């Protein structure tokens, strides 16, 4: 069956499956109503080709000095960029959920000025 959602400006990245391959069986219809688990075999496939594996993160993220330097850089960026909420080194060390949401929204608007906050939960926006 063809998608009912119109495409605007970009092509679908998942190739369509020929009609002859799409046969619903009673067991597949029952399984489609079942909730998928994040544990087990129903995981999303990686976008990397099988020959390439993910490289380990080279940043020393557990090093306290590195963390403090990152906080200092983020604070400087936010202050220079016109961040409108009160912010301090201490608040960035352990940001509240609201602070995190405000910072991520501010940064997303730097990348996409038309970004509208509030349409989705922030967890869905950044996933």
């Amino acid at each position: 069956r063809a998608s009912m959602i119109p495409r605007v400006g970009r092509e679908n990245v998942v190739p369509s499956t020929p009609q002859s391959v799409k046969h619903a069986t009673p067991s597949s219809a029952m399984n489609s109503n079942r909730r998928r688990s994040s544990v087990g075999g129903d995981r999303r496939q990686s976008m990397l080709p099988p020959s390439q594996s993910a490289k380990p993160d080279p940043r020393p993220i557990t090093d306290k000095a590195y963390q403090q330097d990152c906080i200092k850089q983020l604070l400087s960026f936010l202050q220079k960029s016109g961040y409108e909420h009160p912010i301090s080194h201490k608040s960035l060390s352990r940001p509240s959920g609201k602070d995190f949401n405000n910072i991520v929204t501010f940064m997303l608007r730097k990348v996409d000025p038309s970004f509208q906050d509030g349409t989705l939960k922030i967890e869905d926006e950044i996933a």
Side-chain angles (χ1 to χ4, degrees):
R1 135 181 119 87
S3 175
M4 307 263 315
I5 301 171
R7 289 186 216 163
V8 179
R10 69 181 206 199
E11 293 298 314
N12 192 351
V13 292
V14 179
S16 61
T17 306
Q19 292 292 335
S20 61
V21 177
K22 294 183 179 180
H23 294 296
T25 61
S27 63
S28 67
M30 287 174 48
N31 288 337
S32 66
N33 292 332
R34 187 174 49 149
R35 185 174 173 186
R36 292 182 183 237
S37 170
S38 62
V39 178
D42 289 339
R43 293 186 177 214
R44 257 191 299 188
Q45 294 296 317
S46 173
M47 296 299 286
L48 293 175
S51 62
Q52 295 178 345
S53 61
K55 296 179 183 176
D57 189 344
R59 300 173 298 169
I61 58 175
T62 58
D63 179 24
K64 296 293 182 186
Y66 179 77
Q67 292 172 4
Q68 295 303 314
D69 186 48
C70 289
I71 291 170
K72 185 178 174 182
Q73 290 178 28
L74 178 59
L75 180 60
S76 176
F77 169 77
L78 293 172
Q79 289 171 337
K80 290 177 184 176
S81 300
Y83 184 68
E84 64 274 4
H85 299 282
I87 198 79
S88 68
H89 191 278
K90 184 177 179 180
S91 67
L92 287 176
S93 296
R94 293 187 147 272
S96 66
K98 184 177 180 181
D99 288 337
F100 179 80
N101 189 0
N102 289 337
I103 292 168
V104 170
T105 300
F106 176 78
M107 293 174 79
L108 285 171
R109 285 190 182 138
K110 288 287 183 190
V111 176
D112 180 7
S114 66
F115 174 74
Q116 294 296 315
D117 187 29
T119 55
L120 293 174
K121 291 189 294 186
I122 194 71
E123 295 87 3
D124 295 334
E125 290 284 353
I126 60 176

